[in-house]
Amino acid sequence: MAIKTRFDQIASNYIQLRDAKAEMEREHEAALAPIKEAMREAEQVMLDHLNQMGVNSLRTPHGTITKAKKTSVTVGDWDIAWNHIHGNQLWHFLEHRVSKAAVEGYINEHGEPPPGLNISSIYTVQFRR
């Protein structure tokens, strides 16, 4: 019986610790929410200014603000995408996902995305010291 009691106690303690950790994480996220929102707003304001100015970066006494492009490539129709990849032997497109770098190279070379893929790009800003 003593062994079972010890395991029960360990399990009980672990669950209490896990619950306490989850509560602290919720509190931490709640405390960070206004800070994250203020940062998102500052990023959007600066992205708008950089776009209006027609520049990709801006130096300030407190740091450099840089506009960065983030691209996402997902497959909209695997059958169409696979037929294109297979038919043109574009094996470098394949990883466990479609290779973003290879698809970007294809778009640069052909002026359009390969069929069957969904391409989206957004611009963000980065603040560096």
Side-chain angles (χ1 to χ4, degrees):
M1 274 307 207
I3 292 175
K4 183 177 181 188
T5 302
R6 176 73 176 137
F7 291 144
D8 286 345
Q9 185 62 46
I10 291 170
S12 175
N13 288 344
Y14 185 89
I15 290 169
Q16 288 175 10
L17 290 169
R18 185 179 64 195
D19 291 347
K21 176 181 171 263
E23 179 60 28
M24 289 177 81
E25 287 172 344
R26 281 191 294 277
E27 290 170 2
H28 183 71
E29 279 301 312
L32 283 176
I35 294 170
K36 288 180 177 181
E37 180 57 27
M39 290 172 69
R40 275 190 293 274
E41 288 174 9
E43 290 166 358
Q44 188 58 54
V45 166
M46 287 311 305
L47 179 58
D48 292 344
H49 283 299
L50 291 173
N51 286 337
Q52 289 171 5
M53 296 167 66
V55 298
N56 290 323
S57 65
L58 180 67
R59 281 184 178 222
T60 77
H62 297 286
T64 302
I65 302 160
T66 306
K67 184 166 77 169
K69 178 181 176 182
K70 293 184 180 180
T71 300
S72 170
V73 176
T74 61
V75 177
D77 187 320
W78 262 113
D79 291 334
I80 293 171
W82 174 252
N83 288 336
H84 182 75
I85 292 166
H86 185 264
N88 293 285
Q89 297 187 0
L90 300 170
W91 306 122
H92 61 288
F93 277 25
L94 300 176
E95 295 174 354
H96 189 61
R97 61 192 183 284
V98 175
S99 169
K100 179 176 69 171
V103 172
E104 286 179 325
Y106 181 93
I107 293 169
N108 289 337
E109 183 178 333
H110 297 279
E112 62 183 14
L117 302 181
N118 300 322
I119 314 293
S120 66
S121 298
I122 61 168
Y123 283 98
T124 63
V125 294
Q126 300 169 336
F127 293 80
R128 292 184 296 188
R129 224 175 268 284

